[in-house]
């Protein structure tokens, strides 16, 4: 019985230590470093990859004239690139229903689509 108690404490200690060290690692990995390139094997460009996403998911509001209260247009490369400076990456990943783009009731972009936009930024916001 005593042995089992000792063993349990050992396991418990091991589990606690493991949890501590893994959460420490999580905190350090991205501290101030630039985000890792989501797809290092591909060069993502506006013409080839991003335009279709914007046209499908954003243009019904972010166009000229602006619709539904949107604050800037994304009708072309330059306007869409400006959207990056307006927090586009944060907005498409937001878990807040008041911040996420496109706004509800539209479905949130899939992680795959979010990663295309993140990769576009990581690759230098190229037009083509
Ligand atoms: C149904 C209309 C609608 C759609 C679709 C939509 N937006 Fe918006 N967007 C808005 C409105 C309204 C605002 C201004 C209010 C706010 O900041 O939440 C906004 C604001 C933004 C902002 C912040 C601009 C600023 O000046 O701070 C960004 C970035 C943005 N949208 C990106 C996107 C992207 C990227 C998409 C497509 C994936 C998208 N939006 C789709 C309506 C829309």
């Amino acid at each position: 019985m005593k042995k089992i108690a000792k063993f349990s404490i050992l396991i418990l200690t091991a589990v606690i230590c493991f949890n501590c060290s893994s959460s420490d690692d999580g905190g350090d990995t991205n501290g101030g470093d630039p985000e890792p390139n989501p797809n290092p094997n591909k060069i993502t460009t506006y013409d080839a990859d991003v335009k279709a996403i914007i046209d499908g998911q954003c243009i019904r509001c972010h166009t000229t004239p602006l619709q539904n209260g949107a604050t800037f247009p994304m009708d072309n490369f330059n306007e869409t690139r400006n959207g990056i400076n307006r927090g586009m990456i944060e907005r498409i990943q937001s878990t807040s229903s008041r911040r996420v783009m496109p706004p509800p009731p539209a479905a949130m972009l899939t992680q795959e689509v979010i990663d295309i936009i993140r990769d576009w930024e990581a690759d230098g916001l190229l037009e083509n």
Side-chain angles (χ1 to χ4, degrees):
M1 203 54 196
K2 254 191 168 171
K3 247 187 186 164
I4 291 177
K6 263 190 184 165
F7 189 65
S8 306
I9 289 172
L10 200 75
I11 297 282
L12 203 69
T13 314
V15 167
I16 290 168
C17 288
F18 178 75
N19 279 343
C20 290
S21 65
S22 49
S23 64
D24 279 355
D25 290 345
D28 288 342
T29 326
N30 242 336
D33 293 338
E35 285 205 35
N37 187 325
N39 191 349
N41 300 317
K42 178 179 161 60
I43 299 295
T44 295
T45 70
Y46 171 77
D47 283 352
D49 310 282
V50 174
K51 184 177 188 303
I53 297 168
I54 302 298
D55 286 355
Q57 309 285 340
C58 318
I59 276 293
R60 67 192 166 93
C61 302
H62 292 267
T63 188
T64 313
L66 296 165
Q67 301 295 315
N68 305 314
T71 45
F72 70 103
M74 287 191 271
D75 293 316
N76 55 46
F77 166 68
N78 277 317
E79 289 172 355
T80 304
R81 192 178 50 180
N82 286 340
I84 293 286
N85 298 327
R86 290 170 172 266
M88 187 191 301
I89 306 261
E90 183 255 316
R91 299 292 294 254
I92 60 177
Q93 300 188 93
S94 178
T95 51
S96 158
S97 60
R98 284 171 297 128
R99 287 198 62 80
V100 68
M101 285 290 144
M108 196 177 169
L109 300 183
T110 62
Q111 189 61 49
E112 195 184 342
V113 170
I114 290 170
D115 282 348
I116 293 172
I117 309 269
R118 291 175 58 228
D119 196 45
W120 181 46
E121 186 189 37
D123 291 344
L125 304 173
L126 301 171
E127 183 166 15
N128 45 51

